[in-house]
Amino acid sequence: PNIVILKPVLTCPQICVYCQRNWQIEDVYSDQAALGKEKLDRALEWIEKTPEINEVLITGGDPLLFSDQQLDELLGRVAAIKHVIRIRIGTRTPVTLPQRVTDALVRTVSRYHEPGKREMIVITHFEHPTEITPEAMTAVQKFRLFGVGVYNQLVYTFFNSRRFEAAALRQQLRLIGVTP
């Protein structure tokens, strides 16, 4: 009851076969790919008026498809809500588009990480050890170097459910700085 899911964008760099929300994903050029200002304002007002909410999961789609400026504006608005102590960003970008994780993006996200006051977390979806690339490791390490925790939510599929697959994934994730 203390966590809310905010979906400001409904498109992704990849439509994953295991996605629970793939039927909600819009084409990147769709007028419906991003939440309109009015709906976003209403959602943020509701969070502000609901003091029981102390954690906001910003997901979608993939919120790291926003420009740095758009993401900064959104995070700034969420962080301004006094009772929000944890902001999570659900993204598969470190896997699918690791070059998007620039120093500027990481500075934007880490600006809202205030130890003792508010935690910023990136939640990824690595699904198999073969998705762990040098570029993905670099993206993860950028967040970690700025104090932002990176965690992985594994969605079990046929392939990673085979004997030892998930164990191998967890081991490799730890080596690149992701907490499974």
Side-chain angles (χ1 to χ4, degrees):
N2 66 311
I3 302 171
V4 68
I5 294 173
L6 179 61
K7 298 188 297 184
V9 62
L10 295 175
T11 193
C12 286
Q14 172 188 5
I15 307 302
C16 305
V17 295
Y18 58 81
C19 181
Q20 299 292 317
R21 290 175 271 173
N22 63 11
W23 56 274
Q24 295 175 318
I25 301 300
E26 295 284 336
D27 182 88
V28 72
Y29 298 110
S30 167
D31 291 341
Q32 306 301 313
L35 198 60
K37 181 179 176 354
E38 184 179 309
K39 284 185 179 180
L40 182 60
D41 288 347
R42 282 197 330 250
L44 292 171
E45 287 170 16
W46 182 84
I47 294 168
E48 190 170 14
K49 292 177 182 175
T50 311
E52 297 83 12
I53 300 297
N54 64 14
E55 183 169 336
V56 178
L57 168 59
I58 302 173
T59 187
D62 196 319
L64 294 189
L65 289 180
F66 277 147
S67 70
D68 293 354
Q69 180 181 348
Q70 289 172 308
L71 188 61
D72 191 31
E73 289 173 14
L74 175 60
L75 292 175
R77 291 184 68 189
V78 174
I81 301 171
K82 300 289 185 223
H83 50 90
V84 172
I85 62 170
R86 181 173 297 112
I87 301 172
R88 289 187 285 155
I89 298 175
T91 180
R92 199 159 141 78
T93 297
V95 181
T96 59
L97 199 61
Q99 64 272 28
R100 169 67 182 106
V101 183
T102 62
D103 292 345
L105 171 69
V106 174
R107 278 192 300 275
T108 297
V109 172
S110 67
R111 180 177 303 127
Y112 299 100
H113 181 76
E114 296 182 40
K117 181 180 178 189
R118 183 183 324 96
E119 181 181 24
M120 290 296 303
I121 300 173
V122 172
I123 306 291
T124 64
H125 292 289
F126 285 91
E127 296 299 319
H128 195 271
T130 58
E131 293 182 327
I132 298 173
T133 63
E135 296 81 8
M137 181 176 69
T138 298
V140 166
Q141 285 301 307
K142 284 181 181 183
F143 282 116
R144 299 266 322 245
L145 288 171
F146 278 81
V148 176
V150 181
Y151 297 83
N152 192 68
Q153 179 183 8
L154 176 62
V155 179
Y156 283 97
T157 67
F158 170 79
F159 297 102
N160 65 19
S161 296
R162 293 181 297 195
R163 186 177 222 164
F164 307 116
E165 293 287 339
L169 175 62
R170 286 191 302 272
Q171 182 180 59
Q172 292 302 307
L173 286 172
R174 293 294 305 170
L175 288 174
I176 68 165
V178 177
T179 302

